Amino acid sequence: MDAATLLANTLSPDPTLQSNATNQLETSSRKHFAPDLDSLLSILISTDQPSHIRNAAGLAIKNALTSHEVIRNEELIQRWKSVPNQIRIRVKDGLIRMLGDNQRPVCQVSGQDIAAIRPVELPLGMWSGLISQLLQIINTPKRGLSLRQSATFVKLPEVLAAQSNEILTPVVSGARKEEPSPEVQLASFDALLNSLEFVYDKFEREGERNYIMQVVCKATQSPTPDVQVAAFRCLVRIMQLYYIFFTYIAFQNSNYWTGDHCCNKNLNQHLQGI
C-alpha cells in the first residue's frame, strides 16, 4: 500500500483502519526512515494531492522529528542527524517552499516541521541559510500570508542579535498602517514582539527609536482589533525593556507624551500608566 493511501487511512472514521495505517507508517519509518521521509515530502509538496493528504504528510514528518517525551525526542534528533545530507537538504528546501503554498494548512504544517528541525540544526550551523530564506519570503508581497509562520522561527537570541537589521527592516515595514493586509500587519507585530529583547542598539538611537514608536503607536488606531491589541502588547514590552530612554526624554521634554510620537489621549494615558 502506497504512502498516500496509508495517510488517507489515518484520517478514516473507521478506528481499525486508522490504527492499522498508523502502525504501518510507524513501522516503516523505524525501518526505512530516510526513504520514508523523502516519500512524505513528495506528498507534501505535490499539488496533485488533496490538501488534507498533504497536511497529513506534513504531520507525519513532524511526528517523525519531535516528541514531547525527552528520551524519545533525543532519539528522534539523533535519527534526523543520521539522515544523508542530500535528503536533509531536500526536506528543508521543500518545507521552506511550502511556506508560500496556496493551501493554508500546508503552510502551517510546513512551519511546524521547520520549527521541529530548527533547534537541532541552527545552533550547530547546519542550516545557515534559514534566516535569509525566511527573510526572502517576508519580503515577497505575494507570500504575505506566510509571514506569521516565517517570523515565528526567527526567535533564537544568537540569530536575532547577529541579524537584527535584516530582520527588523521587513518586520517594521509590514507593521506600518500603509500595509494593506491586516494578517501581514498582525504577523509583523508578532515578529516585532519576539525581536524587541535583542534590539537594544535600535532604541539607543533616537531616529530609529522614534520611527519604531511611530509605527507601533499608529497601529493602536488600526480598524482591526487584533492589530490594535498586538500593537499595545509591543508598547508594553517596549516600556518594560527600554523605559529608561523614555523617562529621560520625558524629563527633557515635557511635551513628549502629547507630541507626534503618541497618537491619542487613551494611548498617552496607557503609556504613562505602565
Side-chain angles (χ1 to χ4, degrees):
M1 192 177 296
D2 64 89
T5 302
L6 286 174
L7 289 169
N9 288 345
T10 63
L11 305 174
S12 170
D14 182 341
T16 301
L17 191 61
Q18 183 184 101
S19 177
N20 288 339
T22 301
N23 290 336
Q24 287 184 60
L25 285 171
E26 290 177 352
T27 300
S28 180
S29 179
R30 284 194 295 270
K31 294 180 179 179
H32 314 288
F33 179 58
D36 278 12
L37 202 59
D38 214 12
S39 176
L40 290 171
L41 176 71
S42 297
I43 295 171
L44 175 66
I45 66 178
S46 173
T47 55
D48 294 331
Q49 294 287 351
S51 178
H52 67 284
I53 299 299
R54 297 175 69 194
N55 187 57
L59 288 174
I61 292 174
K62 180 177 76 74
N63 292 335
L65 294 172
T66 186
S67 170
H68 293 300
E69 299 176 10
V70 176
I71 296 177
R72 176 60 177 161
N73 193 60
E74 183 58 32
E75 292 174 353
L76 296 179
I77 288 173
Q78 296 306 319
R79 187 172 69 168
W80 167 254
K81 289 181 179 179
S82 71
V83 172
N85 190 51
Q86 66 270 25
I87 294 180
R88 283 192 291 107
I89 291 174
R90 188 155 57 243
V91 169
K92 291 183 291 186
D93 287 348
L95 294 175
I96 287 288
R97 290 201 310 274
M98 290 304 98
L99 286 176
D101 193 79
N102 292 329
Q103 298 291 331
R104 191 64 179 272
V106 173
C107 295
Q108 292 174 335
V109 76
S110 298
Q112 293 172 21
D113 293 343
I114 291 173
I117 298 172
R118 180 206 66 198
V120 179
E121 294 213 350
L122 265 187
L124 299 176
M126 297 169 65
W127 202 351
S128 57
L130 174 61
I131 302 304
S132 60
Q133 288 174 304
L134 293 177
L135 289 172
Q136 184 178 12
I137 293 173
I138 291 172
N139 283 311
T140 304
K142 291 182 180 179
R143 293 184 175 183
L145 295 181
S146 299
L147 180 58
R148 181 189 298 278
Q149 287 83 5
S150 303
T152 300
F153 315 129
V154 190
K155 288 184 179 180
L156 293 183
E158 62 271 25
V159 175
L160 285 167
Q163 298 185 263
S164 59
N165 277 326
E166 294 176 72
I167 294 167
L168 272 188
T169 299
V171 165
V172 175
S173 176
R176 295 184 309 153
K177 69 174 184 178
E178 291 81 7
E179 168 56 51
S181 169
E183 287 186 288
V184 171
Q185 258 196 305
L186 184 59
S188 296
F189 275 112
D190 286 347
L192 179 59
L193 185 66
N194 291 325
S195 305
L196 286 171
E197 186 176 347
F198 312 107
V199 292
Y200 183 91
D201 60 321
K202 301 294 180 290
F203 282 85
E204 278 188 311
R205 294 192 282 270
E206 182 179 5
E208 294 184 53
R209 178 178 64 239
N210 287 347
Y211 178 68
I212 293 172
M213 289 298 292
Q214 286 170 9
V215 169
V216 176
C217 288
K218 287 177 181 178
T220 63
Q221 299 181 85
S222 169
T224 305
D226 286 346
V227 173
Q228 285 188 14
V229 171
F232 274 111
R233 288 177 63 202
C234 281
L235 283 172
V236 170
R237 188 60 178 150
I238 288 169
M239 290 300 117
Q240 289 173 335
L241 293 169
Y242 305 115
Y243 191 65
I244 184 172
F245 295 121
F246 298 98
T247 52
Y248 173 77
I249 293 168
F251 178 77
Q252 295 291 323
N253 180 7
S254 60
N255 294 322
Y256 181 80
W257 296 116
T258 56
D260 292 337
H261 304 88
C262 298
C263 304
N264 56 44
K265 183 178 179 181
N266 291 336
L267 176 58
N268 300 339
Q269 292 173 345
H270 179 83
L271 289 174
Q272 293 183 74
I274 294 175

